[in-house]
Amino acid sequence: MPKTALITGITGQDGSYLAEVLLEQGYDVWGMVRRASTESYERIEHLRDRVRFVQGDLLDQPSLTSALLQAGPDEVYGLAAQSFVPTSWSQPVLTAEFTAVGVTRLLEAIRQVNPAIRFYQASSSEMFGKVRETPQNELTPFHPRSPYGVAKAYGHYISVNYRESYGMFCCSGILFNHESPRRGLEFVTRKVSDGVARIKLGMTDTLTLGNLDARRDWGYAADYVRAMWLMLQADTADDYVVATGVTHSVQELVETAFGYVGLDWRDHVRTDPALIRPAEVDLLVGDASKAHGELGWEATVDFTGLVQMMVDADLERLS
Ligand code: NAP
Ligand code: G4F
């Protein structure tokens, strides 16, 4: 009997890769999508005839209950969120409604429809914020530095609480930044790969960025969604850091991407104070020893391989 999974946020970067993994595993895959005047199915176009869709929105409790009743999942992957950190300052209340309280709405729907459903919560290294120790692991205290980080800390703790209060199988994956050619264009890696491709192809000459000193632990999204699936196959529900363990600055990202196509970044990159955040997360680097040891998870793509993959994909798309 094949298992059934429901993915919220299936139209996003991670949802598209996770759907591929689950289909490969023989799952019946359902995706929750929100109604829009224009469909945003670009990342899952190639999967459309293999996935079933149900409408729902994190703001609307009855739609979540209906989605669960319709799909009848064994596993729910809660990936939907307002996921862009700068937007969380301009829309802090909406971010809290989607990214924080939305998790409670989904957990309540699961508890009422079928509390045996296994649940994955898309938690974030942004919760570590102004980091208390380096590298960060599952026991590192949180100090979020944006309304997004605060909302994710809520989502993490409410998932832990439903596990501890009701015995539900809730896993919180504390994932560090993960990227791919399907990454949204506003995130820094994709902004850089897209910008480098445009400059290389003569479509523009300049790339404007914010803080070049921030450091992130960047991995490949297709690797990270495997960790989500592995968490829900474990004997007991738990929380896991997923990271490469290697950190690079935004400047190193820029140097690597421009260098790959034979350009000097100093000739093209400008900085704009308007892109500096009200509060910054200066350094993230994760310790994924628990995921390695208990789940057998490993990253397969390193930083240079990731940057080159993204630049190649944008060059091909724009050529
Ligand atoms: P993403 O590309 O921004 O995708 C977000 C998804 O959420 C989209 O499918 C979006 O649908 C959906 N969504 C947003 N608001 C919704 C609402 N009110 N109701 C229903 N669906 C809604 O994000 P991602 O990079 O795939 O990340 C997936 C999850 O992991 C997010 O929760 C993110 O915060 C978290 N996370 C990401 C990273 C990372 O580095 N990528 C790291 C740690 C944690 P539309 O297409 O309709 O907009
Ligand atoms: O690519 P970013 O926007 O990602 P950020 O803020 O780290 O958040 C991402 O990763 C989190 C996991 O830690 C996720 F939870 C979250 O949903 C999202 O996927 O920015 C990375 C760094 C920041 O320090 C930022 O200040 O790049 C710096 N940066 C410099 N110039 C820029 C830019 N970021 C963006 N987006 N655009 C710039 O022009």
Side-chain angles (χ1 to χ4, degrees):
M1 182 77 173
K3 281 199 226 175
T4 300
L6 173 67
I7 304 172
T8 76
I10 193 166
T11 55
Q13 171 188 259
D14 290 7
S16 68
Y17 285 110
L18 179 63
E20 288 172 7
V21 166
L22 296 176
L23 287 167
E24 275 163 25
Q25 300 286 340
Y27 278 67
D28 283 336
V29 178
W30 287 75
M32 192 185 87
V33 290
R34 46 182 180 164
R35 194 261 157 197
S37 62
T38 310
E39 282 183 348
S40 58
Y41 285 40
E42 196 182 323
R43 295 184 178 101
I44 48 168
E45 205 55 61
H46 59 299
L47 305 174
R48 271 184 92 139
D49 56 350
R50 300 166 66 201
V51 170
R52 280 180 282 183
F53 297 99
V54 56
Q55 276 196 6
D57 195 297
L58 292 172
L59 293 182
D60 189 79
Q61 181 84 43
S63 72
L64 302 177
T65 304
S66 299
L68 292 170
L69 288 169
Q70 203 176 327
D74 302 291
E75 298 170 7
V76 169
Y77 294 86
L79 308 187
Q82 191 303 93
S83 74
F84 190 47
V85 171
T87 297
S88 78
W89 277 287
S90 57
Q91 300 182 7
V93 176
L94 191 71
T95 299
E97 287 289 353
F98 284 11
T99 305
V101 186
V103 184
T104 308
R105 291 194 191 94
L106 188 53
L107 284 166
E108 263 308 292
I110 292 172
R111 191 171 77 85
Q112 283 165 23
V113 170
N114 176 10
I117 291 170
R118 293 186 170 206
F119 175 70
Y120 173 82
Q121 162 59 13
S123 291
S124 167
S125 50
E126 275 291 305
M127 301 187 302
F128 297 123
K130 192 174 170 63
V131 298
R132 304 277 183 87
E133 62 180 345
T134 296
Q136 297 86 48
N137 64 34
E138 293 79 5
L139 300 176
T140 302
F142 299 151
H143 187 150
R145 297 269 285 169
S146 65
Y148 169 84
V150 173
K152 281 291 178 187
Y154 174 99
H156 169 81
Y157 279 125
I158 200 70
S159 302
V160 172
N161 267 264
Y162 272 60
R163 182 168 77 216
E164 294 178 353
S165 304
Y166 302 119
M168 287 167 56
F169 196 104
C170 301
C171 296
S172 176
I174 306 174
L175 271 52
F176 284 61
N177 300 50
H178 45 279
E179 320 292 318
S180 74
R182 298 183 201 167
R183 185 59 140 153
L185 280 163
E186 70 272 56
F187 297 91
V188 77
T189 52
R190 188 74 198 289
K191 187 172 171 182
V192 168
S193 65
D194 177 75
V196 165
R198 283 175 194 276
I199 291 168
K200 182 68 182 172
L201 295 171
M203 298 163 75
T204 185
D205 191 46
T206 306
L207 175 63
T208 305
L209 297 171
N211 179 11
L212 301 184
D213 296 328
R215 301 184 72 86
R216 290 290 183 276
D217 180 333
W218 280 294
Y220 178 38
D223 280 342
Y224 285 40
V225 299
R226 275 189 292 105
M228 299 176 186
W229 177 73
L230 286 167
M231 284 179 218
L232 294 202
Q233 311 317 306
D235 290 338
T236 50
D238 209 339
D239 309 320
Y240 295 90
V241 159
V242 179
T244 70
V246 181
T247 187
H248 291 277
S249 67
V250 174
Q251 183 170 317
E252 287 162 6
L253 164 70
V254 163
E255 284 168 1
T256 306
F258 277 89
Y260 180 51
V261 297
L263 296 173
D264 186 338
W265 69 279
R266 291 178 203 82
D267 296 334
H268 303 282
V269 173
R270 308 281 172 268
T271 52
D272 181 350
L275 292 170
I276 303 290
R277 300 175 178 186
E280 180 60 282
V281 173
D282 296 320
L283 164 71
L284 290 174
V285 57
D287 172 2
S289 308
K290 186 174 167 186
H292 297 318
E294 295 184 14
L295 303 176
W297 177 84
E298 298 291 338
T300 67
V301 176
D302 68 6
F303 173 73
T304 306
L306 175 66
V307 174
Q308 294 182 354
M309 177 203 304
M310 292 177 69
V311 171
D312 282 339
D314 277 319
L315 279 170
E316 190 181 325
R317 180 177 61 89
L318 294 165
S319 287

